Amino acid sequence: MDWTLLGQQIANGVVNGMNYVLISTGLTLVFGVLRVINFAHGEFYMLGAFLTYFAMSTLGIGYLPAVLVATVAVGALGILVNRLFFWPLRKEHEFTVLLSSLGLALLVTHGAELGFGHDPKYLNSPFTDDILEVGSIVLTQQRVLIFAAAVLVLAATYAAIRWTTFGRMMRATAQNPEGAALTGVDIRFVHTITFVLACGLAGLAGALVGPVAMIFPTVGSWAVLKGFIVVILGGLGSVPGALVGGLTLGVVEALAGGYVSLGFMEAIGYAIIILVLLWRPQGLFGSAAR
Amino acid sequence: MMRKALPFAAALVLALLPLGTNSTYLHHVMVLWMLYALLALSLNVIIGYLGELSFGHAAFFGLGAYASAILTMQTGLPVWLGLIAAGLVAGLFGFVIGYVSLRIVGPQFAILTLGFGSIIYTVTNYWDDLTRGPMGINNIPPLAVWGYGPLGEARDTYFVVLACVLAFAYACHALMRSRTGRAFLAVRENAPLAASLGIDVFRTKLLGFVAATVVAGIAGGLYAHYLRVITPELMSLQYMAALIIMVVVGGRGTVVGPILGALIYVVLLEVLRAFGPLRLIVFAALLTGSVIFVPHGLVSLWRPWRRRVDPAIRPELAP
């Protein structure tokens, strides 16, 4: 057994997992508050990466300011998306909302293919070439940045949901929308901010991961599939579930990719879900749905 | 009297349709329409009658296509036996997958079926020895009918697939008037209440799910022997979405809806070729618009008429 290799695989898995957590927290928040599965969530990840790329090339700013611009821009897009695609359908059947988000995903992907071209693009970051050594494990600074930024942002998000007035409004809406509305919670405002948060987190994930992967318009469907695995694993609507689910998926995938086969790595993610759901149908941290 | 004659008149029109033109291209479009109609009708059993959204249906279509293609090519099985095998293989997978995932309802079920569909897609893509991977299988033997030989022309295939569609459409219609069909509706509208009335909810759902996957497998077999080329793309996310679009845009829970939805999908994709690269954007916009503005499907636009025709089949109740 090569322990250094194992440690390296686990470290890579944890970084990838943290990225999955960043993607799926938004998905799980939107589900928790609106009871909606957002198929278009991966598209915001894709937009985050592309906006960072264009902010750097057209505005001529550095990588970190570009990440900030992209995150804020994608978050702001959340207002529009909620207004046009989700708020008007809130009383419709869940299929209708699911399909509306699927339509939005197709619109954004095909629009991006037309606007940005099919060719993969490379996002330059000053941190991709420098490395950081911890013992015998080597990580690029970009990966350390992904991990650190994710921990920071997720901690802030969790604290906001837990301890602020807005967080309390959000949790009230998640538990009982009518009841929350009766006590004076502005449901529409809560929905909007939830979307801004969710889109911003997905956009940030795209902006951070862009430099370590190629970016192309259909990358969103990859991101949303990972997000689905994670939220089902952890339990839909649960933020701690997204954390545990994301890290588990990242590590298991890295180990499977390193020791079994890269090809079947994708299938392994789903195989874990099935095993977990056979044991706990509602996911690790979820409460029974319906 | 008028009302009872209407389905027969519609069937007659469909049977005469390809005789109206000599264009092979139009015949080809008609065959695609019928293949998708068969598939959409089978998915409608899950979406419309059971009230669950399955994102894995294209995988059963692909399983049927691959099963029939591989069996007929490697063992020299006659094509009609290949089609039966396609139905059996898809049904077997449907049983296992349904058994695991039907215990879970709502969005989780949708994502779980998406997961199963993705596993089947991934395995098909990587199992080179059996499926030839992304290159796909070509030179699949064509459909053949006893005493007629291989069906070379699209028009002949049209009649075969139309017969399948009409038979299955009738089966759906008959099902919804039977005791089992009423059990389906009871499970869809209120599962706990149905259980309290002595209906085995899980078994009812599994029955519907397996029946739907068997038909999807047969549709896949027909597709493989008609086009004679298949690739794993049959099971891609895009097809899974397209199938759901057909059922929902046409009108879920009805017999006419999925057939209409399949027609709209096929015709729209052909007509939109004129838009060039904008095609898929226009398509997505039309889909989104129709879901937002006509959530119960196009069939609901003439609901007053439909209610008079078929009181047993109602649009889904609002949750």
Side-chain angles (χ1 to χ4, degrees):
Chain A
M1 193 83 187
D2 185 349
W3 294 105
T4 314
L5 185 65
L6 181 68
Q8 183 69 53
Q9 299 282 14
I10 291 178
N12 290 344
V14 166
V15 173
N16 284 346
M18 217 54 202
N19 174 42
Y20 295 157
V21 177
L22 218 46
I23 297 175
S24 40
T25 302
L27 207 54
T28 223
L29 279 180
V30 167
F31 181 81
V33 175
L34 285 78
R35 300 279 138 191
V36 159
I37 294 262
N38 181 12
F39 251 94
H41 193 69
E43 272 34 73
F44 300 110
Y45 171 90
M46 180 269 290
L47 284 178
F50 270 100
L51 287 183
T52 314
Y53 176 85
F54 285 114
M56 285 174 77
S57 58
T58 56
L59 300 180
I61 51 180
Y63 173 68
L64 288 179
V67 169
L68 200 66
V69 169
T71 306
V72 171
V74 176
L77 209 59
I79 302 175
L80 199 69
V81 165
N82 179 52
R83 176 72 193 84
L84 292 178
F85 290 86
F86 292 95
W87 179 254
L89 295 175
R90 68 196 177 284
K91 293 209 172 83
E92 292 291 342
H93 192 268
E94 61 189 25
F95 288 2
T96 310
V97 194
L98 200 68
L99 286 167
S100 165
S101 73
L102 186 66
L104 173 64
L106 293 174
L107 263 179
V108 177
T109 312
H110 296 314
E113 279 188 331
L114 207 63
F116 306 150
H118 294 272
D119 307 329
K121 292 196 165 46
Y122 296 92
L123 195 51
N124 288 317
S125 156
F127 308 108
T128 37
D129 297 329
D130 297 320
I131 56 164
L132 191 85
E133 284 180 60
V134 186
S136 50
I137 297 168
V138 181
L139 285 175
T140 61
Q141 285 189 0
Q142 180 68 29
R143 286 176 168 273
V144 177
L145 176 73
I146 293 175
F147 186 81
V151 169
L152 220 77
V153 170
L154 290 170
T157 307
Y158 188 75
I161 296 172
R162 197 90 214 120
W163 289 299
T164 65
T165 313
F166 178 75
R168 212 172 298 131
M169 281 159 71
M170 222 165 137
R171 282 179 287 142
T173 311
Q175 275 172 16
N176 183 347
E178 282 87 11
L182 279 176
T183 55
V185 174
D186 184 350
I187 303 281
R188 187 170 182 167
F189 177 69
V190 172
H191 281 203
T192 308
I193 299 298
T194 306
F195 255 99
V196 170
L197 250 175
C199 293
L201 286 171
L204 177 67
L208 288 174
V209 178
V212 294
M214 285 182 293
I215 52 175
F216 43 93
T218 48
V219 77
S221 67
W222 167 88
V224 82
L225 284 179
K226 293 293 174 201
F228 283 160
I229 301 181
V230 171
V231 293
I232 288 289
L233 199 59
L236 267 171
S238 159
V239 176
L243 181 70
V244 173
L247 290 177
T248 311
L249 181 68
V251 171
V252 171
E253 270 190 356
L255 294 178
Y259 293 103
V260 189
S261 137
L262 276 176
F264 286 97
M265 203 173 85
E266 301 291 312
I268 283 168
Y270 284 109
I272 310 174
I273 300 194
I274 291 152
L275 289 178
V276 169
L277 288 184
L278 278 173
W279 164 55
R280 256 185 87 84
Q282 68 274 39
L284 293 173
F285 288 78
S287 50
R290 275 205 224 165
Chain B
M1 275 304 98
M2 246 315 274
R3 288 182 256 151
K4 295 224 158 146
L6 211 61
F8 294 101
L12 193 67
V13 169
L14 285 177
L16 293 177
L17 199 59
L19 302 177
T21 168
N22 271 324
S23 155
T24 322
Y25 166 71
L26 283 180
H27 289 154
H28 173 69
V29 173
M30 287 176 200
V31 174
L32 285 184
W33 171 27
M34 281 301 131
L35 281 168
Y36 285 132
L38 189 57
L39 207 49
L41 274 173
S42 71
L43 180 58
N44 182 47
V45 173
I46 303 171
I47 294 186
Y49 301 156
L50 293 178
E52 294 293 346
L53 194 53
S54 170
F55 270 92
H57 215 59
F60 298 105
F61 177 67
L63 274 173
Y66 270 92
S68 190
I70 291 171
L71 278 173
T72 51
M73 286 174 80
Q74 296 198 345
T75 66
L77 217 62
V79 169
W80 63 274
L81 269 178
L83 290 177
I84 293 174
L88 288 178
V89 169
L92 191 70
F93 274 85
F95 178 78
V96 173
I97 292 172
Y99 193 85
V100 174
S101 45
L102 281 167
R103 302 187 306 152
I104 298 153
V105 293
Q108 275 102 328
F109 176 79
I111 297 179
L112 207 58
T113 49
L114 180 66
F116 277 113
S118 305
I119 291 182
I120 293 174
Y121 172 68
T122 313
V123 171
T124 312
N125 219 350
Y126 282 99
W127 196 352
D128 281 351
D129 300 337
L130 188 68
T131 64
R132 299 192 352 115
M135 303 212 313
I137 299 177
N138 53 14
N139 282 327
I140 301 167
L143 283 173
V145 175
W146 275 307
Y148 196 86
L151 298 181
E153 287 193 34
R155 184 155 67 186
D156 301 334
T157 311
Y158 175 84
F159 291 119
V160 174
V161 189
L162 174 67
C164 295
V165 170
L166 291 179
F168 188 54
Y170 178 75
C172 287
H173 174 75
L175 170 78
M176 293 325 277
R177 311 197 142 238
S178 71
R179 199 182 157 78
T180 319
R182 287 198 298 276
F184 273 52
L185 291 185
V187 166
R188 180 185 83 186
E189 298 299 344
N190 192 336
L193 184 63
S196 79
L197 293 174
I199 297 170
D200 188 331
V201 172
F202 181 71
R203 268 179 67 176
T204 307
K205 286 191 168 188
L206 195 58
L207 178 72
F209 193 80
V210 172
T213 53
V214 168
V215 174
I218 294 173
L222 286 167
Y223 179 90
H225 294 292
Y226 169 63
L227 279 191
R228 306 185 61 193
V229 178
I230 49 172
T231 63
E233 286 309 303
L234 285 182
M235 316 177 191
S236 63
L237 196 61
Q238 213 180 341
Y239 269 90
M240 307 211 186
L243 287 180
I244 296 173
I245 289 166
M246 287 177 221
V247 178
V248 174
V249 169
R252 61 181 184 265
T254 67
V255 171
V256 181
I259 302 179
L260 188 69
L263 176 67
I264 289 167
Y265 178 77
V266 172
V267 170
L268 211 57
L269 273 191
E270 294 299 322
V271 171
L272 288 181
R273 282 186 199 284
F275 282 86
L278 267 175
R279 177 171 81 132
L280 292 170
I281 297 185
V282 176
F283 183 74
L286 285 172
L287 157 73
T288 319
S290 73
V291 171
I292 292 178
F293 296 112
V294 198
H296 288 288
L298 292 173
V299 178
S300 68
L301 292 179
W302 65 87
R303 188 179 294 157
W305 171 84
R306 196 161 57 88
R307 190 166 285 153
R308 215 168 56 232
V309 175
D310 203 345
I313 298 169
R314 298 170 298 145
E316 198 161 332
L317 294 178

